Amino acid sequence: GLTVISGETGAGKSLLVDALGLLSGLRADSGVVRHGADRAELVADFTLDDAPQAADWLRDNELDETGDGDTPVCQIRRVIRADGGSRAWVNGRPVTLGQLGELAGRLVEIHGQHEHQALMAKASQLTLLDAYGRTDAARGAVEAAARAWSALLRERDTLMAQGDVSDRIGWLEHQHRELEREALDPEALAKLTADHRRHAHAAGLIAACEAAFARIGGDEGPSLTRTLQQVRGELQRVTEHEPRLGEVDAMLDNAAIQIDEALVLLDRVRDDLDLDPSAFEQIESRIGRLHELARKHRIAPEQLAATRDGIAAELEMLRGAGVRLETLDLEIETARKGWRKAADVLGKARRDAAKSLSSKTTELIGELGMGGGRFDVAIEPLDEDRPDPNGGERIEFLVAANPGQPARALRKVASGGELSRISLAIEVAAFGMDAVPTMVFDEVDSGIGGAVAEIVGQKLRALGASRQVLCVTHLAQVAAQGHA
């Protein structure tokens, strides 16, 4: 339905529209807070049974909520503080202003007098035409193709900027040979560290092993092995009088097996230990080389392997730079052809949309009291075949306000009343091309009156058949068409 908001100047009509704008994520300053108050608080409630895109967005961002029954609902709340800060919530959960804008863009569309000025810019005109023609997929393909082409071009420029890389290759090869001579993998470094520690403490280790072997299984003096054998012999002589001593003997037998295995391993460790000053010097020398390399590259020794691999990768890239340049030229040309193909598809969609929008807007201009007026969308191909993310053409809205006059750029139309009517005709012709369920018009009928105003009201009422339309107006002819 069409809901009309009317009243005297200064009654606060546009303030309601401003509040919706702030709830849509528009930038706010402390000037909107009433003098003497700490903050301004804004709240809007939406039912989402006719806003599937908004419901999907809420679900994807885990902000969805249902009201009575299964109907999804959405409450947007924003608080603007007197110190200029602000916070926003959706369904009671905090969100960023960016998220607020994304959601509001799926819920409400605001058209004010400033929209007329926005339509003067060619970029806005192109955006409106693409929205009218529903070219999102085609435009996305063009943008992706242009980005791919640009990335390849940057890669080629980077390679060409390197110039003669032979000196760089020679320097990297020297560094790579230095690192290749050393075993730098984590396992090799760990073994080197362990060998160094073992050789550095070889004398103490040998002494400890010999002392332990003597105490456990030595031939001279008391040893743990002989003591254990004696204990077992004494217990076995009296086991028949106490059966549980048999369990003790079994445990001691297991202990004896473990001790024998420990002696074997101890003997093997002792044999592996050797006081070899030359081997220790070699290990020390190798560790010194590793630390010298690490200082040279200003990294830790553990990072030398990654540095070696990085140098190898850069060498491979530089050695293949010439070949890569040849393949890049082919890839760049292929990407350009891909963009051209996508741009042709987008261009055809735009030409079809321009023809339809021109026809509908021309018809509406006549109904709005500009009989004989004509609206055209001029499409001008770009001269150069350089991939552009916006496509291969530029467009401009042209208007002939009276019959017999040549069409001129919309931005050059002088009369404010004519501009208001033409802009309104364009907007009405393009309305309904998206899924936004609520549309707000803030005095877009400024500068018109009489029978034309009645027609504007009829158009807004017709739009209210499929959308929730809120209209701020001073005109009785428009207000009379409101459902509420």
Side-chain angles (χ1 to χ4, degrees):
L2 168 62
T3 298
V4 171
I5 303 171
S6 194
E8 296 294 335
T9 300
K13 304 182 299 300
S14 293
L15 193 64
L16 294 172
V17 180
D18 293 341
L20 273 177
L22 292 170
L23 285 166
S24 298
L26 294 182
R27 188 175 299 277
D29 58 50
S30 58
V32 302
V33 181
R34 189 180 67 231
H35 179 70
D38 293 331
R39 66 182 186 272
E41 184 166 336
L42 312 169
V43 181
D45 292 308
F46 296 86
T47 56
L48 305 181
D49 49 354
D50 59 348
Q53 291 186 357
D56 292 342
W57 186 92
L58 288 168
R59 193 179 308 110
D60 292 342
N61 287 271
E62 299 181 348
L63 294 167
D64 53 317
E65 195 168 295
T66 55
D68 298 333
D70 295 327
T71 303
V73 296
C74 173
Q75 183 187 81
I76 297 177
R77 175 171 173 252
R78 187 175 180 187
V79 171
I80 302 164
R81 298 192 302 273
D83 62 8
S86 74
R87 295 182 64 192
W89 295 263
V90 170
N91 287 332
R93 278 156 279 187
V95 296
T96 65
L97 288 186
Q99 289 177 305
L100 197 63
E102 289 179 21
L103 173 60
R106 294 163 169 80
L107 289 170
V108 62
E109 204 171 77
I110 300 175
H111 298 270
Q113 296 178 67
H114 65 280
E115 294 293 314
H116 302 341
Q117 298 303 319
L119 281 175
M120 302 299 101
K122 289 184 178 181
S124 298
Q125 294 173 1
L126 183 62
T127 300
L128 187 146
L129 181 66
D130 281 341
Y132 180 81
R134 297 184 179 180
T135 64
D136 289 352
R139 184 160 181 169
V142 168
E143 290 175 351
R147 284 197 301 271
W149 178 85
S150 297
L152 291 169
L153 203 65
R154 285 195 300 272
E155 183 181 351
R156 186 182 68 178
D157 291 343
T158 300
L159 287 176
M160 294 185 68
Q162 292 174 345
D164 184 7
V165 295
S166 56
D167 290 343
R168 173 76 176 170
I169 289 176
W171 183 64
L172 289 175
E173 285 177 339
H174 170 70
Q175 287 195 319
H176 191 255
R177 283 193 298 270
E178 280 187 331
L179 293 169
E180 275 285 283
R181 284 196 287 265
E182 304 295 337
L184 301 175
D185 295 331
E187 297 81 6
L189 293 180
K191 183 178 183 304
L192 181 65
T193 302
D195 288 347
H196 181 264
R197 187 180 297 114
R198 184 167 57 251
H199 278 78
H201 299 86
L205 289 169
I206 290 172
C209 288
E210 291 177 344
F213 194 92
R215 291 183 180 181
I216 295 174
D219 295 332
E220 300 179 1
S223 70
L224 184 60
T225 302
R226 282 196 298 276
T227 302
L228 192 59
Q229 290 173 347
Q230 292 172 358
V231 170
R232 289 189 64 199
E234 293 172 358
L235 289 175
Q236 287 170 358
R237 286 195 291 271
V238 295
T239 298
E240 59 180 327
H241 307 304
E242 174 51 75
R244 286 179 295 177
L245 292 177
E247 295 180 22
V248 174
D249 183 58
M251 293 178 184
L252 293 175
D253 184 40
N254 288 332
I257 293 172
Q258 294 287 329
I259 289 172
D260 289 341
E261 291 181 356
L263 283 172
V264 171
L265 180 58
L266 193 60
D267 191 45
R268 188 181 306 137
V269 170
R270 169 62 188 85
D271 289 343
D272 289 342
L273 293 169
D274 190 10
L275 289 173
D276 186 351
S278 63
F280 183 57
E281 287 176 4
Q282 290 177 357
I283 294 174
E284 287 257 283
S285 175
R286 189 178 163 208
I287 289 176
R289 289 198 305 271
L290 291 179
H291 282 283
E292 183 180 346
L293 284 171
R295 284 193 300 272
K296 183 176 180 179
H297 292 276
R298 298 181 180 179
I299 55 175
E302 295 78 12
Q303 297 174 299
L304 286 171
T307 300
R308 176 199 62 200
D309 296 341
I311 291 174
E314 186 178 352
L315 273 171
E316 184 178 356
M317 183 193 73
L318 291 175
R319 287 166 180 161
V323 177
R324 179 57 180 155
L325 276 173
E326 293 178 6
T327 58
L328 267 175
D329 286 336
L330 294 174
E331 290 179 18
I332 288 170
E333 180 58 22
T334 301
R336 189 194 64 76
K337 290 179 179 177
W339 172 85
R340 182 72 267 172
K341 186 176 180 180
D344 288 343
V345 172
L346 176 59
K348 183 182 183 305
R350 282 173 171 170
R351 288 190 294 273
D352 292 343
K355 184 177 179 181
S356 173
L357 182 61
S358 297
S359 175
K360 285 187 177 181
T361 305
T362 296
E363 182 181 342
L364 285 164
I365 286 174
E367 293 179 19
L368 292 175
M370 295 175 63
R374 188 176 81 257
F375 175 84
D376 286 320
V377 180
I379 298 181
E380 179 183 355
L382 294 177
D383 292 336
E384 56 185 47
D385 207 18
R386 181 183 178 87
D388 188 303
N390 291 316
E393 57 279 313
R394 291 293 176 266
I395 69 110
E396 184 164 19
F397 291 169
L398 305 179
V399 174
N402 298 296
Q405 286 185 343
R408 299 165 58 208
L410 179 61
R411 55 192 167 86
K412 295 181 180 178
V413 174
S415 167
E418 287 178 343
L419 179 59
S420 294
R421 278 180 279 179
I422 294 167
S423 299
L424 186 62
I426 295 171
E427 291 170 352
V428 171
F431 287 153
M433 302 308 293
D434 55 27
V436 177
T438 298
M439 293 182 173
V440 181
F441 300 91
D442 185 16
E443 298 189 26
V444 294
D445 48 20
S446 175
I448 62 174
V452 174
E454 186 174 351
I455 295 171
V456 171
Q458 292 170 355
K459 297 298 180 185
L460 292 172
R461 183 180 178 91
L463 193 60
S466 58
R467 298 285 190 275
Q468 178 186 31
V469 180
L470 306 177
C471 179
V472 175
T473 182
H474 286 287
L475 298 179
Q477 297 95 322
V478 174
Q481 297 291 340
H483 295 94

